[in-house]
Amino acid sequence: MIVEKKVRILLFQAILFYFIMESFSNIMVNTNAHVFMNLSRIGTILPTIIIIVISIILELVIFYKNFFNFRLKIHVLIYLVVISRIVVQFLMISSLLMIFNFILFFSSVLVIIELMYLMELGANGGGFSTLLFGGCVGASIQLVFLMANASLSLTFDSIKIMPIIIFSGFLLYMNWSMFSPKKLEDLERGMESIEKEERKGQEISLVHFIIFGILFLLILTWVFNPMAISAYDVLDRSYNNLLPNGKLNWISYGFTYYILLITAVIFIGSYVIHEIMNTKSQSFLKKLIFTFIGASFILNLLAIFILENEPIPGVSTFYLTILEIVNIFSLVIYFFYCFIFYSFQNRRKLYHGLVIFFFTNFFFIILQVQFLWYEYLSLLINNIFILSLIGTFLIFLMEGKNLRVNLNRKLLNWNWKMPIKVLYVIIFIILIGSFGSLLIQRIPESTPREHPIVMTWNIHNAIGVDDVFDPERIAEEIKQNDPDILGLNEVDLGALKTSFVDLTSYFAHHLDMYYFYGYTFYKHYGNALLSKYPISSAEIIHLPQAKESTEPRSMIKAKIIIGNEIWTLFITHLSTNHQDRLVQVPYILSVIEQEKDKNKLIWLGDFNFEPTSEEYQLIKASPMNFIDTARNAGYTGHFDENFIPRKRIDYILCSPDMNAKSSHVYCSIASDHCAVITKFN
């Protein structure tokens, strides 16, 4: 019965941790889609921001100031969690998604805070080891959903409907069986005397909550983010592993390897560290923390030099594997250490720490946006290195002064009984099954058809003019147009602002196409090529800039095998700066003119200039004699208030030997650009 109870508590906590991670990533994409995309229209987003701020303040004040008695707090919070999670499952309105994801995130964290307090009082919390293992299982649930849906994890995903109903039902069951007012009545009677007792052990400090905030952001944006990690894996970005009968088809979606790696290391690491914490001396544990935290910082620092400079295939995979193992072990060790040797009995301090935790996250997210979109710095520099540096410094500062202090130690009462092992085995079986399903589902049809269709679309990171981030909608609309070759602009890979999704892999999976991702100034944003036909070669060409302060751009150059022919494609998204484009257009023309075979050439993408522009005249004057296939098809960009395009800035150009049978423009609310579609003979 004791083991069964612990398993139920572990699952309860695992679901809460999963909701925290899921809602956080959705908050980021909701904020990007609804707030950052509408800063020029502040009046339209202000009501949403005000409602969120008021909701958070009210919730914090109500539960901090004891408007509910002790018996009701967790009970009411769990209802808030369940209601808000069900609401976001069926909502498609960006402002409401943002509001209820905030409520879901904040309420879930408050439940964890109250559970930590119960654990210190020896109540139904299940012990800190249960909480830590619950966090590990929660992270694994998140990884399972990422695997099952090709890296997408939106709260309104249709594949989540049944699991969320089950999760919500289980939370409600636990709410009544373990956290009902009647169950906590006896505990409440002894609360006053317990709180008056001298607290045992050293209290957790408010500085620790800064550390927790930094580590939380580091976990979600890097350590437990398989898509962000795979962006630096050269094998993952290689076209060779996408060819028919390729030797590396297992890594067709690079993030799948890192999902399996992270899950395995989480479970192995938590088990090993749990055993070490119970058997080794305190001084040994402190030295172990400093060793792993120091090694983690050094490896993350070296990653800037090793991974940014495109190591040979295999080196990046090996380095990232070692880095992940060390990072995960470091985090598990540190969290075990904090929960064992520090007291969380001061409830007031827990709530103060919660506020500090949120402000820490807010500060570093704003810092990342500043460095990324205004300074154009790599994610490894502006996020990973800065977070690692400050986090390592604070950990050494806080734990260094306690190096020779004998802290009060709590016993870890966890037992690795058979039900727990079965739970972990079930998670791995689901992961492996999802992995196999991903690999066998994508079977591109490479039989050439009489009139190949080429499509280019700036998808605006899958954020529509309705401010809803919905890659599934983009995929469905592409499928309706049924292109053989597809060029996409503004495509994210493992980025904070788009829920960490690998958009290119997601589209390739749902459209049954080969693909190649071409990043721009950092590995998480760029252009994409998708094709029903095999890609024989592909490379990224970085474009020049007239002004260093503008956003760097790049171009994909690829060769595609269509029957007995080889088509050469150039996919780009040119600068919004006129002076930049005046150097980029001639540079691209010079690259194209160097091609030995000047037949079957296509240049497509968002060019950011109109046919009346100076840049367009440069193309017309080129000896390549490009044909503008969609010159009479209509406008594609610069939507007015009625979402009607007013300028033609997206193009499909082809060499004179190619015959464009027809062209048209496809507009939808799914993006702030219209697609250009050309059918060739």
Side-chain angles (χ1 to χ4, degrees):
M1 287 297 292
I2 294 176
V3 174
E4 180 188 345
K5 179 181 176 182
K6 284 188 176 181
V7 172
R8 284 189 284 124
I9 294 173
L10 182 146
L11 288 173
F12 172 79
Q13 294 167 349
I15 293 170
L16 288 172
F17 277 112
Y18 164 64
F19 283 174
I20 288 171
M21 289 184 283
E22 179 199 41
S23 58
F24 177 82
S25 63
N26 278 266
I27 285 169
M28 292 300 100
V29 73
N30 297 152
T31 304
N32 179 45
H34 185 66
V35 178
F36 289 151
M37 295 294 179
N38 293 293
L39 288 177
S40 60
R41 298 180 289 139
I42 190 67
T44 62
I45 60 175
L46 203 55
T48 304
I49 296 173
I50 291 172
I51 291 172
I52 290 170
V53 172
I54 291 175
S55 300
I56 291 175
I57 292 174
L58 276 176
E59 195 170 349
L60 188 62
V61 169
I62 286 171
F63 290 99
Y64 176 73
K65 290 292 186 180
N66 296 320
F67 281 83
F68 294 104
N69 64 36
F70 176 77
R71 287 177 293 166
L72 284 173
K73 282 186 179 177
I74 289 186
H75 200 62
V76 173
L77 280 169
I78 292 171
Y79 275 119
L80 270 176
V81 169
V82 170
I83 291 170
S84 54
R85 182 58 189 88
I86 290 175
V87 168
V88 296
Q89 180 67 59
F90 300 100
L91 270 181
M92 288 292 288
I93 302 170
S94 61
S95 57
L96 294 179
L97 276 171
M98 186 175 171
I99 291 168
F100 280 98
N101 272 313
F102 262 105
I103 294 173
L104 173 61
F105 178 73
F106 199 75
S107 301
S108 300
V109 174
L110 282 178
V111 175
I112 296 296
I113 290 291
E114 292 292 341
L115 283 175
M116 291 168 64
Y117 183 56
L118 285 178
M119 290 171 192
E120 283 288 5
L121 301 179
N124 288 348
F128 283 104
S129 53
T130 314
L131 183 70
L132 289 165
F133 284 117
C136 294
V137 175
S140 300
I141 293 173
Q142 171 78 343
L143 294 171
V144 166
F145 279 114
L146 290 176
M147 182 80 85
N149 203 21
S151 81
L152 187 64
S153 183
L154 295 177
T155 51
F156 56 81
D157 282 345
S158 57
I159 67 167
K160 291 184 178 180
I161 292 177
M162 188 53 65
I164 292 305
I165 290 174
I166 295 171
F167 290 168
S168 299
F170 182 76
L171 289 184
L172 293 175
Y173 160 74
M174 291 293 289
N175 199 20
W176 280 104
S177 65
M178 298 195 69
F179 301 107
S180 65
K182 189 173 182 180
K183 293 287 183 181
L184 296 178
E185 188 174 356
D186 294 336
L187 179 64
E188 187 183 26
R189 294 194 188 104
M191 280 280 296
E192 189 174 338
S193 59
I194 291 173
E195 289 187 336
K196 287 181 178 178
E197 290 180 5
E198 183 179 352
R199 293 186 176 92
K200 298 178 181 179
Q202 183 167 328
E203 279 189 10
I204 195 78
S205 73
L206 294 179
V207 176
H208 279 95
F209 286 92
I210 299 177
I211 297 174
F212 294 159
I214 291 172
L215 295 182
F216 176 77
L217 201 56
L218 193 62
I219 285 170
L220 291 188
T221 60
W222 182 240
V223 182
F224 286 6
N225 186 345
M227 289 73 68
I229 296 166
S230 69
Y232 296 88
D233 192 327
V234 176
L235 280 179
D236 178 44
R237 297 197 311 274
S238 170
Y239 60 88
N240 290 315
N241 56 9
L242 303 172
L243 287 172
N245 304 315
K247 295 180 180 179
L248 296 172
N249 278 335
W250 66 276
I251 203 171
S252 288
Y253 306 109
F255 62 84
T256 55
Y257 164 70
Y258 292 103
I259 286 177
L260 296 170
L261 173 69
I262 292 167
T263 308
V265 177
I266 285 174
F267 289 149
I268 294 171
S270 58
Y271 172 75
V272 171
I273 300 305
H274 177 270
E275 296 304 305
I276 290 175
M277 287 288 174
N278 264 342
T279 57
K280 299 297 181 180
S281 67
Q282 192 173 137
S283 61
F284 175 83
L285 295 177
K286 290 175 181 177
K287 292 174 184 177
L288 188 67
I289 286 174
F290 290 134
T291 300
F292 267 93
I293 295 294
S296 175
F297 170 70
I298 292 171
L299 288 173
N300 280 295
L301 174 62
L302 291 176
I304 298 173
F305 305 99
I306 295 174
L307 301 178
E308 284 286 356
N309 295 323
E310 296 292 318
I312 59 175
V315 172
S316 55
T317 307
F318 175 77
Y319 189 86
L320 285 165
T321 301
I322 299 300
L323 180 63
E324 276 298 279
I325 293 171
V326 173
N327 280 341
I328 294 172
F329 264 80
S330 301
L331 290 166
V332 173
I333 290 170
Y334 186 67
F335 282 122
F336 264 106
Y337 176 84
C338 286
F339 286 126
I340 289 173
F341 291 109
Y342 287 103
S343 167
F344 294 84
Q345 195 171 324
N346 189 333
R347 189 171 173 277
R348 187 176 295 270
K349 182 176 280 189
L350 289 179
Y351 272 78
H352 292 165
L354 178 61
V355 174
I356 291 172
F357 172 86
F358 280 116
F359 273 104
T360 300
N361 275 276
F362 178 77
F363 172 78
F364 282 104
I365 288 170
I366 295 299
L367 196 66
Q368 182 184 137
V369 171
Q370 173 67 31
F371 284 159
L372 193 61
W373 291 109
Y374 295 96
E375 304 298 332
Y376 303 113
L377 294 178
S378 162
L379 181 74
L380 289 177
I381 297 173
N382 72 48
N383 187 18
I384 310 310
F385 172 65
I386 292 175
L387 289 175
S388 297
L389 176 64
I390 298 174
T392 302
F393 171 76
L394 290 176
I395 290 173
F396 272 66
L397 178 69
M398 295 305 297
E399 312 313 331
K401 66 181 183 181
N402 293 326
L403 187 60
R404 302 184 185 280
V405 178
N406 190 32
L407 301 174
N408 185 57
R409 183 179 190 146
K410 302 169 194 160
L411 291 176
L412 291 173
N413 56 351
W414 183 264
N415 241 328
W416 284 75
K417 300 291 185 181
M418 186 55 66
I420 311 304
K421 295 176 182 177
V422 170
L423 175 65
Y424 288 166
V425 169
I426 290 172
I427 289 174
F428 268 105
I429 290 174
I430 294 172
L431 273 177
I432 297 296
S434 300
F435 176 60
S437 175
L438 278 179
L439 294 186
I440 64 175
Q441 282 181 21
R442 181 167 64 93
I443 307 174
E445 294 289 340
S446 57
T447 304
R449 58 184 176 185
E450 187 178 356
H451 303 292
I453 297 174
V454 177
M455 177 176 179
T456 183
W457 198 5
N458 182 327
I459 60 169
H460 197 228
N461 293 314
I463 298 172
V465 292
D466 56 355
D467 298 334
V468 174
F469 173 74
D470 191 358
E472 184 178 359
R473 176 172 61 181
I474 292 280
E476 287 302 316
E477 297 194 11
I478 292 172
K479 193 177 293 185
Q480 291 172 19
N481 288 283
D482 193 25
D484 298 278
I485 298 169
L486 174 65
L488 299 177
N489 307 123
E490 295 192 16
V491 183
D492 275 6
L493 167 55
L496 180 69
K497 61 188 174 71
T498 45
S499 190
F500 310 117
V501 66
D502 180 348
L503 281 173
T504 316
S505 294
Y506 179 84
F507 293 141
H509 173 68
H510 285 273
L511 300 171
D512 286 329
M513 301 177 88
Y514 301 104
Y515 72 100
F516 179 80
Y517 179 73
Y519 64 87
T520 55
F521 65 92
Y522 81 132
K523 300 290 196 301
H524 306 274
Y525 175 79
N527 307 300
L529 164 66
L530 293 100
S531 171
K532 291 182 179 179
Y533 310 114
I535 304 169
S536 65
S537 67
E539 62 178 302
I540 301 169
I541 299 174
H542 294 281
L543 302 180
Q545 298 167 257
K547 299 173 65 176
E548 291 186 2
S549 60
T550 56
E551 179 186 325
R553 305 281 175 156
S554 71
M555 175 174 67
I556 295 175
K557 174 189 172 184
K559 294 188 180 293
I560 294 177
I561 304 170
I562 303 181
N564 297 321
E565 298 179 342
I566 294 180
W567 288 23
T568 305
L569 282 89
F570 300 87
I571 302 169
T572 191
H573 182 194
L574 297 181
S575 175
T576 56
N577 181 272
H578 173 63
Q579 297 302 320
D580 274 354
R581 293 196 300 270
L582 287 180
V583 297
Q584 288 170 355
V585 170
Y587 178 79
I588 294 171
L589 288 171
S590 68
V591 170
I592 295 175
E593 288 169 9
Q594 291 173 16
E595 288 294 309
K596 292 181 180 178
D597 185 357
K598 294 182 172 55
N599 294 322
K600 297 293 184 282
L601 295 174
I602 299 178
W603 178 15
L604 65 159
D606 176 3
F607 291 4
N608 270 317
F609 58 72
E610 295 185 87
T612 57
S613 66
E614 187 177 355
E615 298 93 314
Y616 191 87
Q617 301 309 312
L618 290 172
I619 295 174
K620 286 187 66 176
S622 164
M624 291 301 302
N625 295 317
F626 276 113
I627 297 173
D628 185 351
T629 64
R631 57 187 175 275
N632 299 316
Y635 296 138
T636 62
H638 287 261
F639 285 31
D640 61 17
E641 62 276 5
N642 297 315
F643 307 120
I644 297 173
R646 295 300 182 189
K647 293 184 179 180
R648 187 162 82 93
I649 56 176
D650 302 86
Y651 299 85
I652 296 178
L653 309 179
C654 68
S655 53
D657 63 294
M658 301 186 73
N659 181 18
K661 186 176 186 294
S662 64
S663 292
H664 69 279
V665 167
Y666 174 80
C667 298
S668 105
I669 64 169
S671 174
D672 66 346
H673 280 247
C674 299
V676 179
I677 303 165
T678 297
K679 181 182 290 187
F680 288 92
N681 282 323

